[in-house]
Amino acid sequence: MYTNLHTAIQALYIILAFNLVCVAVIYAIKLRSIRRRKLNDRFKTKFKDYLTYVQANLDGMEPLRVPPWMMDPVEREAMQEKLNDMMEIFSGEQRHKLVQLCVDLGLVQHHLARFNSRTYRVKLDAAYHLGCMRVKEAVPALLDMLKEHPLNSALFVVARAVAKCARSQQELEAMVQILLQHNKNCYELIVDMIADSEVDAGSLYTGYVTHKNPAYVRIGLIGLHVYTDPAAASAVYRLMDAEQEDIQIKAVDLYLKSSRLLPRNVVSKLLSHPNLDIRRLTIETLANIKNPAYVELMETSLGDTDQRIVYASGRGLLRMGEEGMVALCERAAAVQGTDRGQFMQQLIEDEIKQLSMQLHNWEKLTQYNLLMYTYDKIFRKSTRIYRVV
């Protein structure tokens, strides 16, 4: 009995001590938050005119001047955060002026010194700030840190800093190589980091799509997706028959996006491709092009074994003007009485109903009249006169 009571009292003391520690930590965090807010408000008041001057002179010819007073460590940190935000918003010459201001304020030298710290937290924080300021001199040291860094979320903080500071494709390639050595499937993230670089990565990605390593190919395909250069189409054409299915889909998507003129033989091949996503991508692209020359090819997809492709093809033909509407209605009438014919006819009638609720729009009214005329002529063997205003 006594032992149980003694144990309970000890447990109670432990709980009370734990609660007191939690209260103390919360109170300290609260005080720190209040102090930081007060310092931030003081900074905004003291530096309001100076920050206005900086923003007003970003487009000017003269370099930005430093504040006419000394900053204490807290003010310097606040100024650094404000300039970081501005350097992420602006680009080109405006960003270069802000970077030069960071040099003149001593911020670059300050963080280069911090980067040599033995404390990991300080070194990582310095790497982040050096990246924000695009300090090209820091690239070799950042790459060394990246090589030795364990695989965790902070790895990408260092990698992004390298991308921002890089001034050549070789430096970007070194960053990509190190990241891929971790065998982490982070291709979209790598492309996103490269996008922060001031280096034009178009030729880098074009080179990657011819690489033997599928990981580099994936990065190249994702990266080229933001480019509209027709040369990208020829670069990825051979990848449409790649062994990896995801590379096939990315290559076809990029090819369809980059090509200004799609050869009929290539379109026919893609519309009969065994991969459903590739057939769907092709149909969506043809529907967006709205070129009547592809109506005949689109019509063949109405016989696809997958109903989703039939639906996509039908919707696409409805967007391709009179030729597309006629082709869809004639195909639906030819198989009338079957499940496929009923499905296509229902698709047409649903489109008519949808357009009938948008007759206040001139373009929708025109489509409605054209589709109703075609539908009645083929299914009902009549040609009524429709509303035109």
Side-chain angles (χ1 to χ4, degrees):
M1 180 71 181
Y2 174 78
T3 303
N4 292 338
L5 179 61
H6 183 69
T7 302
I9 293 173
Q10 284 185 330
L12 181 61
Y13 282 144
I14 292 173
I15 294 172
L16 287 173
F18 179 76
N19 288 336
L20 287 173
V21 170
C22 290
V23 170
V25 170
I26 294 173
Y27 187 67
I29 294 174
K30 183 71 174 178
L31 288 177
R32 182 181 178 185
S33 177
I34 294 173
R35 179 174 175 271
R36 181 173 289 273
R37 186 170 64 249
K38 288 182 178 179
L39 291 173
N40 192 42
D41 292 340
R42 189 184 74 182
F43 173 81
K44 288 181 178 179
T45 302
K46 183 176 180 180
F47 285 81
K48 180 180 178 181
D49 291 339
Y50 178 74
L51 293 175
T52 301
Y53 153 77
V54 170
Q55 294 183 14
N57 288 272
L58 281 176
D59 294 320
M61 298 296 293
E62 296 182 0
L64 298 171
R65 296 180 219 160
V66 299
W69 56 78
M70 295 294 293
M71 292 186 291
D72 59 36
V74 175
E75 292 174 340
R76 182 174 58 189
E77 180 181 350
M79 176 63 76
Q80 176 78 76
E81 295 300 327
K82 185 64 179 178
L83 291 177
N84 285 349
D85 292 340
M86 295 176 69
M87 285 183 285
E88 294 303 314
I89 295 173
F90 296 102
S91 60
E93 187 58 35
Q94 294 172 325
R95 178 185 288 165
H96 291 159
K97 292 184 71 172
L98 291 169
V99 170
Q100 185 57 49
L101 177 60
C102 290
V103 174
D104 296 339
L105 287 170
L107 297 175
V108 170
Q109 193 60 38
H110 171 67
H111 288 292
L112 283 173
R114 293 179 73 231
F115 189 73
N116 294 322
S117 172
R118 294 183 179 181
T119 305
Y120 169 77
R121 185 182 62 81
V122 174
K123 191 169 185 176
L124 181 64
D125 183 68
Y128 165 76
H129 288 298
L130 290 171
C132 291
M133 294 184 291
R134 276 72 178 174
V135 182
K136 61 181 180 180
E137 297 85 356
V139 173
L142 288 170
L143 285 172
D144 289 339
M145 183 179 181
L146 193 64
K147 291 176 185 177
E148 301 170 358
H149 204 285
L151 181 57
N152 54 39
S153 58
L155 173 76
F156 301 105
V157 174
V158 182
R160 192 176 291 276
V162 173
K164 288 180 177 180
C165 296
R167 292 297 181 271
S168 69
Q169 287 190 7
Q170 289 75 19
E171 292 172 339
L172 290 179
E173 288 176 347
M175 179 203 73
V176 173
Q177 183 179 4
I178 295 171
L179 290 177
L180 291 181
Q181 287 174 352
H182 286 282
N183 295 320
K184 187 78 172 175
N185 298 333
C186 52
Y187 311 121
E188 289 84 1
L189 181 56
I190 290 176
V191 172
D192 181 66
M193 289 188 291
I194 293 176
D196 283 338
S197 173
E198 295 183 356
V199 178
D200 183 7
S203 58
L204 174 68
Y205 293 137
T206 304
Y208 277 172
V209 297
T210 60
H211 203 283
K212 294 181 180 179
N213 188 333
Y216 286 93
V217 174
R218 292 183 176 97
I219 293 172
L221 290 172
I222 296 170
L224 282 175
H225 205 270
V226 300
Y227 291 82
T228 56
D229 187 357
S234 59
V236 303
Y237 179 79
R238 68 176 185 84
L239 294 174
M240 294 194 293
D241 296 319
E243 295 180 4
Q244 298 83 1
E245 188 176 88
D246 66 311
I247 290 180
Q248 283 186 9
I249 296 174
K250 286 183 174 67
V252 169
D253 190 20
L254 181 58
Y255 178 85
L256 294 172
K257 176 179 178 291
S258 302
S259 297
R260 296 175 182 173
L261 179 64
L262 299 173
R264 290 177 62 87
N265 63 316
V266 176
V267 172
S268 179
K269 174 184 176 181
L270 295 177
L271 289 176
S272 59
H273 197 282
N275 187 288
L276 182 144
D277 289 328
I278 288 178
R279 302 201 301 275
R280 180 182 54 79
L281 280 172
T282 306
I283 290 170
E284 290 177 355
T285 301
L286 296 178
N288 290 331
I289 293 176
K290 298 180 181 179
N291 190 334
Y294 298 114
V295 167
E296 183 180 351
L297 292 172
M298 284 272 284
E299 187 181 355
T300 62
S301 294
L302 293 174
D304 197 278
T305 55
D306 194 293
Q307 193 163 338
R308 288 168 291 183
I309 298 299
V310 177
Y311 176 81
S313 182
R315 295 289 304 172
L317 286 168
L318 289 171
R319 296 171 57 189
M320 299 180 76
E322 183 178 1
E323 292 87 347
M325 294 177 184
V326 170
L328 177 60
C329 290
E330 287 181 345
R331 188 63 176 267
V335 292
Q336 197 171 14
T338 66
D339 291 341
R340 186 177 295 267
Q342 185 177 358
F343 177 77
M344 287 190 286
Q345 186 173 351
Q346 185 63 51
L347 191 153
I348 298 169
E349 292 175 354
D350 288 345
E351 180 68 8
I352 291 173
K353 182 178 179 181
Q354 186 68 24
L355 290 171
S356 69
M357 295 185 291
Q358 305 176 65
L359 299 180
H360 57 280
N361 183 295
W362 176 258
E363 182 180 354
K364 300 296 182 182
L365 175 61
T366 303
Q367 293 175 3
Y368 172 81
N369 287 333
L370 184 58
L371 183 56
M372 277 296 298
Y373 175 83
T374 305
Y375 182 80
D376 278 351
K377 183 179 179 180
I378 294 175
F379 280 91
R380 298 170 182 160
K381 310 299 182 183
S382 64
T383 53
R384 294 185 293 174
I385 302 297
Y386 300 101
R387 175 171 29 169
V388 296
V389 292

